[in-house]
PDB file of all heavy atoms in Angstrom:
ATOM      1  N   GLU A   1     166.828 104.643 123.355  1.00 98.00           N
ATOM      2  CA  GLU A   1     166.275 105.993 123.254  1.00 98.00           C
ATOM      3  C   GLU A   1     166.772 106.888 124.385  1.00 98.00           C
ATOM      4  O   GLU A   1     167.055 108.081 124.173  1.00 98.00           O
ATOM      5  CB  GLU A   1     164.750 105.937 123.236  1.00 98.00           C
ATOM      6  CG  GLU A   1     164.211 105.321 121.941  1.00 98.00           C
ATOM      7  CD  GLU A   1     162.695 105.213 121.930  1.00 98.00           C
ATOM      8  OE1 GLU A   1     162.050 105.699 122.888  1.00 98.00           O
ATOM      9  OE2 GLU A   1     162.160 104.652 120.959  1.00 98.00           O
ATOM     10  N   LEU A   2     166.883 106.337 125.587  1.00 98.00           N
ATOM     11  CA  LEU A   2     167.450 107.112 126.694  1.00 98.00           C
ATOM     12  C   LEU A   2     168.897 107.517 126.387  1.00 98.00           C
ATOM     13  O   LEU A   2     169.295 108.662 126.632  1.00 98.00           O
ATOM     14  CB  LEU A   2     167.411 106.304 127.988  1.00 98.00           C
ATOM     15  CG  LEU A   2     166.060 106.142 128.686  1.00 98.00           C
ATOM     16  CD1 LEU A   2     166.202 105.219 129.887  1.00 98.00           C
ATOM     17  CD2 LEU A   2     165.499 107.498 129.126  1.00 98.00           C
ATOM     18  N   GLN A   3     169.658 106.589 125.838  1.00 98.00           N
ATOM     19  CA  GLN A   3     171.054 106.884 125.507  1.00 98.00           C
ATOM     20  C   GLN A   3     171.137 107.961 124.427  1.00 98.00           C
ATOM     21  O   GLN A   3     171.995 108.854 124.486  1.00 98.00           O
ATOM     22  CB  GLN A   3     171.767 105.615 125.048  1.00 98.00           C
ATOM     23  CG  GLN A   3     173.254 105.810 124.757  1.00 98.00           C
ATOM     24  CD  GLN A   3     174.030 106.270 125.979  1.00 98.00           C
ATOM     25  OE1 GLN A   3     173.972 105.644 127.032  1.00 98.00           O
ATOM     26  NE2 GLN A   3     174.767 107.375 125.854  1.00 98.00           N
ATOM     27  N   ALA A   4     170.243 107.910 123.452  1.00 98.00           N
ATOM     28  CA  ALA A   4     170.238 108.909 122.387  1.00 98.00           C
ATOM     29  C   ALA A   4     169.943 110.300 122.942  1.00 98.00           C
ATOM     30  O   ALA A   4     170.532 111.301 122.506  1.00 98.00           O
ATOM     31  CB  ALA A   4     169.212 108.534 121.313  1.00 98.00           C
ATOM     32  N   ILE A   5     169.043 110.358 123.906  1.00 98.00           N
ATOM     33  CA  ILE A   5     168.724 111.651 124.530  1.00 98.00           C
ATOM     34  C   ILE A   5     169.928 112.151 125.331  1.00 98.00           C
ATOM     35  O   ILE A   5     170.261 113.335 125.296  1.00 98.00           O
ATOM     36  CB  ILE A   5     167.486 111.537 125.440  1.00 98.00           C
ATOM     37  CG1 ILE A   5     166.251 111.183 124.610  1.00 98.00           C
ATOM     38  CG2 ILE A   5     167.255 112.849 126.192  1.00 98.00           C
ATOM     39  CD1 ILE A   5     165.029 110.813 125.443  1.00 98.00           C
ATOM     40  N   TRP A   6     170.596 111.244 126.052  1.00 98.00           N
ATOM     41  CA  TRP A   6     171.790 111.637 126.804  1.00 98.00           C
ATOM     42  C   TRP A   6     172.859 112.174 125.859  1.00 98.00           C
ATOM     43  O   TRP A   6     173.509 113.188 126.157  1.00 98.00           O
ATOM     44  CB  TRP A   6     172.340 110.455 127.596  1.00 98.00           C
ATOM     45  CG  TRP A   6     173.454 110.842 128.535  1.00 98.00           C
ATOM     46  CD1 TRP A   6     173.326 111.168 129.851  1.00 98.00           C
ATOM     47  CD2 TRP A   6     174.854 110.960 128.223  1.00 98.00           C
ATOM     48  NE1 TRP A   6     174.554 111.485 130.383  1.00 98.00           N
ATOM     49  CE2 TRP A   6     175.506 111.368 129.415  1.00 98.00           C
ATOM     50  CE3 TRP A   6     175.601 110.767 127.073  1.00 98.00           C
ATOM     51  CZ2 TRP A   6     176.890 111.582 129.470  1.00 98.00           C
ATOM     52  CZ3 TRP A   6     176.980 110.989 127.122  1.00 98.00           C
ATOM     53  CH2 TRP A   6     177.605 111.378 128.303  1.00 98.00           C
ATOM     54  N   ASP A   7     173.028 111.527 124.717  1.00 98.00           N
ATOM     55  CA  ASP A   7     174.006 111.997 123.727  1.00 98.00           C
ATOM     56  C   ASP A   7     173.654 113.404 123.255  1.00 98.00           C
ATOM     57  O   ASP A   7     174.547 114.247 123.061  1.00 98.00           O
ATOM     58  CB  ASP A   7     174.047 111.049 122.526  1.00 98.00           C
ATOM     59  CG  ASP A   7     174.644 109.686 122.869  1.00 98.00           C
ATOM     60  OD1 ASP A   7     175.344 109.585 123.901  1.00 98.00           O
ATOM     61  OD2 ASP A   7     174.402 108.725 122.114  1.00 98.00           O
ATOM     62  N   ARG A   8     172.369 113.657 123.077  1.00 97.00           N
ATOM     63  CA  ARG A   8     171.921 114.993 122.651  1.00 97.00           C
ATOM     64  C   ARG A   8     172.224 116.026 123.740  1.00 97.00           C
ATOM     65  O   ARG A   8     172.638 117.148 123.446  1.00 97.00           O
ATOM     66  CB  ARG A   8     170.433 114.935 122.338  1.00 97.00           C
ATOM     67  CG  ARG A   8     169.837 116.246 121.848  1.00 97.00           C
ATOM     68  CD  ARG A   8     168.639 116.008 120.927  1.00 97.00           C
ATOM     69  NE  ARG A   8     167.641 115.139 121.507  1.00 97.00           N
ATOM     70  CZ  ARG A   8     166.582 115.581 122.204  1.00 97.00           C
ATOM     71  NH1 ARG A   8     166.394 116.872 122.384  1.00 97.00           N
ATOM     72  NH2 ARG A   8     165.698 114.713 122.687  1.00 97.00           N
ATOM     73  N   MET A   9     172.005 115.653 124.988  1.00 96.00           N
ATOM     74  CA  MET A   9     172.337 116.548 126.098  1.00 96.00           C
ATOM     75  C   MET A   9     173.832 116.884 126.089  1.00 96.00           C
ATOM     76  O   MET A   9     174.214 118.043 126.269  1.00 96.00           O
ATOM     77  CB  MET A   9     171.972 115.894 127.437  1.00 96.00           C
ATOM     78  CG  MET A   9     170.489 115.764 127.697  1.00 96.00           C
ATOM     79  SD  MET A   9     170.140 114.826 129.224  1.00 96.00           S
ATOM     80  CE  MET A   9     170.857 115.915 130.463  1.00 96.00           C
ATOM     81  N   ASN A  10     174.649 115.880 125.880  1.00 97.00           N
ATOM     82  CA  ASN A  10     176.099 116.086 125.881  1.00 97.00           C
ATOM     83  C   ASN A  10     176.530 117.002 124.738  1.00 97.00           C
ATOM     84  O   ASN A  10     177.397 117.862 124.906  1.00 97.00           O
ATOM     85  CB  ASN A  10     176.816 114.734 125.782  1.00 97.00           C
ATOM     86  CG  ASN A  10     178.286 114.840 126.140  1.00 97.00           C
ATOM     87  OD1 ASN A  10     178.644 115.484 127.130  1.00 97.00           O
ATOM     88  ND2 ASN A  10     179.133 114.231 125.340  1.00 97.00           N
ATOM     89  N   GLU A  11     175.915 116.826 123.583  1.00 97.00           N
ATOM     90  CA  GLU A  11     176.226 117.692 122.439  1.00 97.00           C
ATOM     91  C   GLU A  11     175.849 119.142 122.744  1.00 97.00           C
ATOM     92  O   GLU A  11     176.579 120.073 122.393  1.00 97.00           O
ATOM     93  CB  GLU A  11     175.471 117.206 121.197  1.00 97.00           C
ATOM     94  CG  GLU A  11     176.000 115.892 120.644  1.00 97.00           C
ATOM     95  CD  GLU A  11     175.066 115.287 119.600  1.00 97.00           C
ATOM     96  OE1 GLU A  11     174.044 115.940 119.264  1.00 97.00           O
ATOM     97  OE2 GLU A  11     175.358 114.170 119.131  1.00 97.00           O
ATOM     98  N   CYS A  12     174.727 119.332 123.417  1.00 94.00           N
ATOM     99  CA  CYS A  12     174.299 120.690 123.774  1.00 94.00           C
ATOM    100  C   CYS A  12     175.259 121.309 124.786  1.00 94.00           C
ATOM    101  O   CYS A  12     175.539 122.511 124.744  1.00 94.00           O
ATOM    102  CB  CYS A  12     172.883 120.667 124.349  1.00 94.00           C
ATOM    103  SG  CYS A  12     171.597 120.317 123.126  1.00 94.00           S
ATOM    104  N   LYS A  13     175.761 120.479 125.698  1.00 94.00           N
ATOM    105  CA  LYS A  13     176.735 120.982 126.665  1.00 94.00           C
ATOM    106  C   LYS A  13     177.995 121.467 125.956  1.00 94.00           C
ATOM    107  O   LYS A  13     178.524 122.547 126.267  1.00 94.00           O
ATOM    108  CB  LYS A  13     177.097 119.875 127.651  1.00 94.00           C
ATOM    109  CG  LYS A  13     178.231 120.271 128.601  1.00 94.00           C
ATOM    110  CD  LYS A  13     179.096 119.087 128.918  1.00 94.00           C
ATOM    111  CE  LYS A  13     180.395 119.541 129.552  1.00 94.00           C
ATOM    112  NZ  LYS A  13     181.330 118.445 129.744  1.00 94.00           N
ATOM    113  N   ILE A  14     178.460 120.714 124.975  1.00 95.00           N
ATOM    114  CA  ILE A  14     179.665 121.096 124.224  1.00 95.00           C
ATOM    115  C   ILE A  14     179.447 122.418 123.501  1.00 95.00           C
ATOM    116  O   ILE A  14     180.344 123.269 123.434  1.00 95.00           O
ATOM    117  CB  ILE A  14     180.036 119.976 123.227  1.00 95.00           C
ATOM    118  CG1 ILE A  14     180.481 118.713 124.001  1.00 95.00           C
ATOM    119  CG2 ILE A  14     181.138 120.431 122.276  1.00 95.00           C
ATOM    120  CD1 ILE A  14     180.615 117.480 123.146  1.00 95.00           C
ATOM    121  N   ARG A  15     178.234 122.624 122.984  1.00 94.00           N
ATOM    122  CA  ARG A  15     177.911 123.856 122.252  1.00 94.00           C
ATOM    123  C   ARG A  15     177.485 124.988 123.189  1.00 94.00           C
ATOM    124  O   ARG A  15     177.195 126.086 122.735  1.00 94.00           O
ATOM    125  CB  ARG A  15     176.772 123.606 121.253  1.00 94.00           C
ATOM    126  CG  ARG A  15     177.085 122.605 120.164  1.00 94.00           C
ATOM    127  CD  ARG A  15     176.067 122.738 119.038  1.00 94.00           C
ATOM    128  NE  ARG A  15     174.700 122.621 119.502  1.00 94.00           N
ATOM    129  CZ  ARG A  15     174.010 121.479 119.553  1.00 94.00           C
ATOM    130  NH1 ARG A  15     174.589 120.339 119.176  1.00 94.00           N
ATOM    131  NH2 ARG A  15     172.763 121.451 119.987  1.00 94.00           N
ATOM    132  N   LEU A  16     177.414 124.696 124.501  1.00 91.00           N
ATOM    133  CA  LEU A  16     176.911 125.662 125.490  1.00 91.00           C
ATOM    134  C   LEU A  16     175.493 126.122 125.127  1.00 91.00           C
ATOM    135  O   LEU A  16     175.141 127.302 125.288  1.00 91.00           O
ATOM    136  CB  LEU A  16     177.853 126.863 125.615  1.00 91.00           C
ATOM    137  CG  LEU A  16     179.293 126.558 126.064  1.00 91.00           C
ATOM    138  CD1 LEU A  16     180.120 127.826 126.113  1.00 91.00           C
ATOM    139  CD2 LEU A  16     179.280 125.851 127.419  1.00 91.00           C
ATOM    140  N   ASP A  17     174.721 125.168 124.664  1.00 91.00           N
ATOM    141  CA  ASP A  17     173.334 125.432 124.259  1.00 91.00           C
ATOM    142  C   ASP A  17     172.419 125.072 125.429  1.00 91.00           C
ATOM    143  O   ASP A  17     171.925 123.949 125.528  1.00 91.00           O
ATOM    144  CB  ASP A  17     172.997 124.600 123.015  1.00 91.00           C
ATOM    145  CG  ASP A  17     171.560 124.758 122.563  1.00 91.00           C
ATOM    146  OD1 ASP A  17     170.827 125.575 123.158  1.00 91.00           O
ATOM    147  OD2 ASP A  17     171.164 124.045 121.610  1.00 91.00           O
ATOM    148  N   SER A  18     172.191 126.026 126.326  1.00 87.00           N
ATOM    149  CA  SER A  18     171.413 125.731 127.523  1.00 87.00           C
ATOM    150  C   SER A  18     169.948 125.440 127.197  1.00 87.00           C
ATOM    151  O   SER A  18     169.310 124.610 127.861  1.00 87.00           O
ATOM    152  CB  SER A  18     171.510 126.883 128.518  1.00 87.00           C
ATOM    153  OG  SER A  18     171.015 128.071 127.961  1.00 87.00           O
ATOM    154  N   LYS A  19     169.403 126.113 126.192  1.00 86.00           N
ATOM    155  CA  LYS A  19     168.005 125.874 125.815  1.00 86.00           C
ATOM    156  C   LYS A  19     167.835 124.453 125.286  1.00 86.00           C
ATOM    157  O   LYS A  19     166.938 123.718 125.688  1.00 86.00           O
ATOM    158  CB  LYS A  19     167.556 126.887 124.767  1.00 86.00           C
ATOM    159  CG  LYS A  19     166.094 126.750 124.366  1.00 86.00           C
ATOM    160  CD  LYS A  19     165.697 127.872 123.396  1.00 86.00           C
ATOM    161  CE  LYS A  19     164.195 127.815 123.084  1.00 86.00           C
ATOM    162  NZ  LYS A  19     163.803 126.603 122.366  1.00 86.00           N
ATOM    163  N   GLY A  20     168.722 124.042 124.375  1.00 91.00           N
ATOM    164  CA  GLY A  20     168.657 122.689 123.838  1.00 91.00           C
ATOM    165  C   GLY A  20     168.904 121.647 124.901  1.00 91.00           C
ATOM    166  O   GLY A  20     168.272 120.587 124.920  1.00 91.00           O
ATOM    167  N   PHE A  21     169.827 121.948 125.828  1.00 92.00           N
ATOM    168  CA  PHE A  21     170.111 121.033 126.931  1.00 92.00           C
ATOM    169  C   PHE A  21     168.865 120.845 127.789  1.00 92.00           C
ATOM    170  O   PHE A  21     168.517 119.717 128.170  1.00 92.00           O
ATOM    171  CB  PHE A  21     171.259 121.577 127.774  1.00 92.00           C
ATOM    172  CG  PHE A  21     171.771 120.620 128.821  1.00 92.00           C
ATOM    173  CD1 PHE A  21     172.852 119.800 128.549  1.00 92.00           C
ATOM    174  CD2 PHE A  21     171.177 120.551 130.078  1.00 92.00           C
ATOM    175  CE1 PHE A  21     173.330 118.909 129.514  1.00 92.00           C
ATOM    176  CE2 PHE A  21     171.639 119.679 131.041  1.00 92.00           C
ATOM    177  CZ  PHE A  21     172.729 118.855 130.765  1.00 92.00           C
ATOM    178  N   GLY A  22     168.189 121.949 128.087  1.00 88.00           N
ATOM    179  CA  GLY A  22     166.975 121.867 128.909  1.00 88.00           C
ATOM    180  C   GLY A  22     165.888 121.044 128.248  1.00 88.00           C
ATOM    181  O   GLY A  22     165.202 120.252 128.910  1.00 88.00           O
ATOM    182  N   GLU A  23     165.731 121.215 126.941  1.00 90.00           N
ATOM    183  CA  GLU A  23     164.718 120.449 126.216  1.00 90.00           C
ATOM    184  C   GLU A  23     165.056 118.957 126.232  1.00 90.00           C
ATOM    185  O   GLU A  23     164.177 118.107 126.437  1.00 90.00           O
ATOM    186  CB  GLU A  23     164.621 120.952 124.779  1.00 90.00           C
ATOM    187  CG  GLU A  23     164.017 122.351 124.678  1.00 90.00           C
ATOM    188  CD  GLU A  23     164.101 122.934 123.280  1.00 90.00           C
ATOM    189  OE1 GLU A  23     164.748 122.283 122.415  1.00 90.00           O
ATOM    190  OE2 GLU A  23     163.548 124.019 123.044  1.00 90.00           O
ATOM    191  N   ALA A  24     166.339 118.649 126.026  1.00 94.00           N
ATOM    192  CA  ALA A  24     166.756 117.242 126.038  1.00 94.00           C
ATOM    193  C   ALA A  24     166.639 116.653 127.446  1.00 94.00           C
ATOM    194  O   ALA A  24     166.237 115.495 127.616  1.00 94.00           O
ATOM    195  CB  ALA A  24     168.192 117.115 125.527  1.00 94.00           C
TER     196      ALA A  24
END
């Protein structure tokens, strides 16, 4: 589950989605 959250953070970084990154 930690790895899945990290993957979500990385995806948000690629999209420059700061809000989604913060939530993740």
